[in-house]
Amino acid sequence: MKTSGLLFKFCAISVLLFSFFKTNVASQTLSAYDIVKKADDLMRDNSSYSEMEMQIIRPSWTRTLRFRTWAKGDDYSLVYIDHPPREKGQRFLKRQREMWNFVPTIDRMIKIPPSMMMQSWMGSDLTNDDLVNAASIVKDYDHELLRTETLRGYHCYVIKMVPHEDAPVVWGKVLSWITKDGFLNLRNEYYDETGELVNEEILDEIENVGDRTIPTRYTMIPVDKDGYKTILKFKDIKFGIDIKDSFFSIQNMKQMR
């Protein structure tokens, strides 16, 4: 009986150690690249449609925009502004690495050069690049897992992303906080080429949106401008919609209403 008891204890401890070892190994098999890709896939999917509201907040005024977006993979996205009235009908199209802006009031199509991708979009704290995801956090960066830590009660991976030399990116590096459970991107820090922190991005209001749970509000805060921030809120979002590549043509963009 004594031997049996010891044997049972030994077996129980072995099972616990094996389970712990198996869990540890499973968590270690995820590379920094894998973690970033899972977070990106969660927010992007093969295709999506969303309705969004943006608040541009300044020390003495606030401005609100509302717009719709369509996206397909990394290569295509289209934005149509519905509000305010004086900007209604403006459209922004991304195809691969190229971006266009159609301004209906002057019936003019403007191609946005790479040098303007980091300029402010519609006076907000987001750039043209942020708007259409011209740069891919998966393809255009090298990824390194720095550490794990707790953020707002979530256990997170902290990933450093440094752009490839030939990537169309001006950031010197980006730090991202991605949850271990669910791969939710909760925070990003954007640094310039000298290593100075430029923008902080907070992602919160985590909600179920059908087949997934995601952050539905993004707040971009320039660190050197007191009272400045831009809040982007998903009012509706659908993933996996049926949408053809031809939808993202210049001709279709000009005909949209």
Side-chain angles (χ1 to χ4, degrees):
M1 291 293 294
K2 200 169 186 181
T3 304
S4 298
L6 287 172
L7 182 61
F8 174 79
K9 286 182 181 178
F10 174 77
C11 290
I13 291 170
S14 297
V15 169
L16 286 172
L17 287 173
F18 175 75
S19 298
F20 174 77
F21 176 76
K22 185 178 179 182
T23 301
N24 254 13
V25 168
S27 66
Q28 290 172 8
T29 57
L30 283 177
S31 67
Y33 171 88
D34 294 331
I35 296 164
V36 170
K37 189 172 188 312
K38 285 179 178 292
D40 188 60
D41 288 346
L42 184 68
M43 291 303 303
R44 189 187 299 273
D45 207 331
N46 293 326
S47 60
S48 65
Y49 166 78
S50 60
E51 296 173 7
M52 311 184 80
E53 182 174 279
M54 174 185 284
Q55 280 190 307
I56 305 169
I57 299 170
R58 299 294 181 258
S60 59
W61 55 268
T62 298
R63 181 172 181 240
T64 300
L65 287 83
R66 287 189 286 273
F67 51 92
R68 291 168 281 159
T69 71
W70 295 260
K72 188 171 184 179
D74 288 334
D75 292 330
Y76 302 107
S77 65
L78 195 154
V79 178
Y80 187 100
I81 296 180
D82 292 303
H83 179 85
R86 67 178 180 179
E87 268 99 23
K88 180 176 172 60
Q90 277 210 58
R91 295 146 231 182
F92 296 84
L93 172 68
K94 174 208 169 187
R95 290 176 59 87
Q96 284 86 38
R97 294 293 192 187
E98 297 181 322
M99 182 175 173
W100 288 268
N101 173 207
F102 179 67
V103 185
T105 53
I106 58 175
D107 193 27
R108 185 181 174 193
M109 182 73 70
I110 303 168
K111 186 172 182 181
I112 299 176
S115 60
M116 291 181 62
M117 291 306 293
M118 295 309 295
Q119 290 192 4
S120 167
W121 182 72
M122 303 296 290
S124 72
D125 298 302
L126 276 71
T127 65
N128 289 316
D129 184 88
D130 293 326
L131 175 74
V132 296
N133 294 316
S136 167
I137 62 170
V138 176
K139 297 177 182 177
D140 292 326
Y141 289 85
D142 291 318
H143 312 86
E144 179 186 355
L145 176 58
L146 297 181
R147 60 186 182 274
T148 60
E149 64 183 41
T150 301
L151 176 67
R152 306 200 307 261
Y154 291 89
H155 298 297
C156 295
Y157 302 103
V158 182
I159 308 287
K160 180 173 79 171
M161 300 189 289
V162 177
H164 303 153
E165 286 188 11
D166 59 345
V169 180
V170 300
W171 302 119
K173 70 176 178 181
V174 179
L175 296 187
S176 293
W177 280 253
I178 298 172
T179 64
K180 291 185 174 183
D181 183 14
F183 301 98
L184 306 173
N185 186 190
L186 298 184
R187 178 182 176 87
N188 297 305
E189 292 180 353
Y190 300 90
Y191 294 80
D192 65 19
E193 292 180 341
T194 68
E196 292 293 321
L197 178 62
V198 177
N199 288 334
E200 296 177 351
E201 184 179 26
I202 300 167
L203 299 87
D204 58 7
E205 294 195 2
I206 295 166
E207 299 175 12
N208 185 287
V209 292
D211 67 341
R212 70 196 66 202
T213 300
I214 61 170
T216 61
R217 183 176 71 171
Y218 299 5
T219 303
M220 188 73 80
I221 306 169
V223 297
D224 61 349
K225 297 180 180 179
D226 290 340
Y228 279 60
K229 65 180 174 181
T230 295
I231 301 173
L232 188 62
K233 172 69 179 177
F234 286 98
K235 294 298 185 180
D236 187 28
I237 186 165
K238 296 179 176 65
F239 293 98
I241 63 170
D242 185 17
I243 186 167
K244 293 180 168 44
D245 291 357
S246 58
F247 177 82
F248 301 95
S249 66
I250 291 175
Q251 181 180 6
N252 182 60
M253 177 176 72
K254 292 177 71 173
Q255 293 173 347
M256 291 182 71
R257 294 290 183 269

